[in-house]
Amino acid sequence: MNGKFASTDLKGLAEALVETAQRNGADQADALAVQGRSVSIDTRAGALEQAERAEGIEIGLRVLIGGRQACVSASDHSKASIAEMAQRAIAMAREAPVDDTLGLAEPEQLAERRDADELDLSDPQPDPAPEILQELALRAEAAALSHAAISQVEAASAAFSRRNMWLVASNGFSGGYERSTHVISTVAITGEGLGMERDYAAESRSHAADLPEPEDIGTLAAERTLARAGSRKPPTGAFPILYDRRVSASLISHLLSAVNGGAIARGASWLRNALDEPVLPEGMDLFEDPHRPRYPSSRPFDAEGLATRKRSIVSKGVLQGWTLDLATGRKLGMDSTASAARGLTSPPSPVNANVILTQGSRTQEQMIADMGRGLIVTSMLGASINGTTGDYSRGAAGFWVENGRIAYPVNECTIAGNLREMLMTLIAGNDALPWRGLEVPGLLVEGMTVAGA
């Protein structure tokens, strides 16, 4: 199949939705038209386990009437469906509560750039055939199984998707772009019964040429799994915790959630009073760059048609501002940070794109040596996070450190602390991985509570 979509008129569909909504009484309207296709292949025991394919066009409409809004969507894009959607959305909006902060951008606020050509988000090569994806998955599986102690590969997968989007609004905005995604993943298992352990490796890129070899992914899954053999509970107490780069981004995601304009406007954030105050150690920066070529979250404009830009979130440890769309910005008396995202059935809300945390100078080995005695966390499950106070508790697994060296693998433990206090003790490593939406190195946190044996 060709690398680009056929000439389906997504722009025309979105324009028809907006025009029909206005004819039926909407004060303002915006519409998304999305065309996508995807193929996913799973293998097991050297054979095809499952194959899935999806393709279609979906449309979504948002209408605004007197401070009220409603969203509707459909997979049928006929004229009759478009007319029915507009009528249904308007009827729903008239029953919605009034919010005077709702409304489209002013024309002078809109982005001049209406495509993503400079960001290179869509692989120009032909879509990979299912047979090619199956071969990639089989190669990853074989690499994992080449390790004698791997008892089985739970799943080896290769997938591809391509998505084309067009946004039209009654304020004059019209723009769209295409993005593609290639994924290879492997889950390996060692041991049996109560002694069974599993781990995984996965990589995702917009261009196939940027993906690691499937053998590298399968081998990494096997090595991670074998390192977990013989896991046991760690001791209980207060210890330093090193969040491995596989999971360290979760700490920063909690910070990002706390500075999201939606949480701030509701007063439901443990950082609601922290603007212009230290939230990370002095000298640590956190910023987002939506214009990184080929990156997963890159975008030239947001879901309200505003031009995205590189933006500082934390500078030298001090919180610089909230992440805002138009509505949350108006609630707080601030300008949007061009951070709006939306789905076909949901209104805009603020999100971040391509967030990068300052790296440190220490390798993981140096940080482990500095810990002396403590826990390395490589995976987590479950969460109890109080969004208002920042109290934090999560199930964790990883490795116990004694005398600055890894002593044994651990599982079935809980780690706890307070996010405001935890983030102020961070020590960053130098091992952040590229191609992530959150590019964060390993992070050492002092004095957390570990509940184990």
Side-chain angles (χ1 to χ4, degrees), residues 99-102 256-269 271-276 311 319-337 339 349-350:
D99 182 347
D100 291 333
T101 65
L102 298 177
L256 295 174
S257 295
V259 302
N260 185 283
I264 299 300
R266 295 191 306 273
S269 167
L271 289 177
R272 61 192 177 278
N273 299 316
L275 194 61
D276 298 322
R311 181 176 71 93
L319 180 61
Q320 301 298 296
W322 314 124
T323 300
L324 304 169
D325 61 3
L326 286 169
T328 55
R330 290 167 184 150
K331 284 181 171 72
L332 298 169
M334 298 177 174
D335 293 332
S336 171
T337 56
S339 301
S349 60

Side-chain angles (χ1 to χ4, degrees), residues 279-285 314 316-318 423-427:
V279 295
L280 291 174
E282 185 178 355
M284 192 171 283
D285 295 331
V314 178
K316 298 180 180 179
V318 176
L423 293 176
M424 289 302 297
T425 73
L426 292 184
I427 298 173

Side-chain angles (χ1 to χ4, degrees), residues 173-188:
F173 184 85
S174 179
Y177 55 89
E178 181 176 291
R179 73 168 75 241
S180 57
T181 306
H182 299 260
V183 182
I184 301 175
S185 63
T186 308
V187 180

Side-chain angles (χ1 to χ4, degrees), residues 128 131-141 157-158 184 211 214:
E131 295 79 12
I132 298 297
L133 294 175
Q134 182 173 336
E135 179 187 354
L136 294 173
L138 288 171
R139 287 167 58 189
E141 180 186 30
S157 304
I184 301 175
L211 269 175

Side-chain angles (χ1 to χ4, degrees), residues 379-397:
S379 65
M380 292 185 289
L381 68 159
S384 175
I385 312 296
N386 188 313
T388 303
T389 66
D391 289 336
Y392 171 99
S393 178
R394 295 204 66 177

Side-chain angles (χ1 to χ4, degrees), residues 8-27:
T8 300
D9 187 8
L10 298 181
K11 177 183 177 183
L13 289 174
E15 288 174 342
L17 283 164
V18 170
E19 291 166 1
T20 304
Q22 289 188 292
R23 283 200 309 270
N24 281 269
D27 296 338

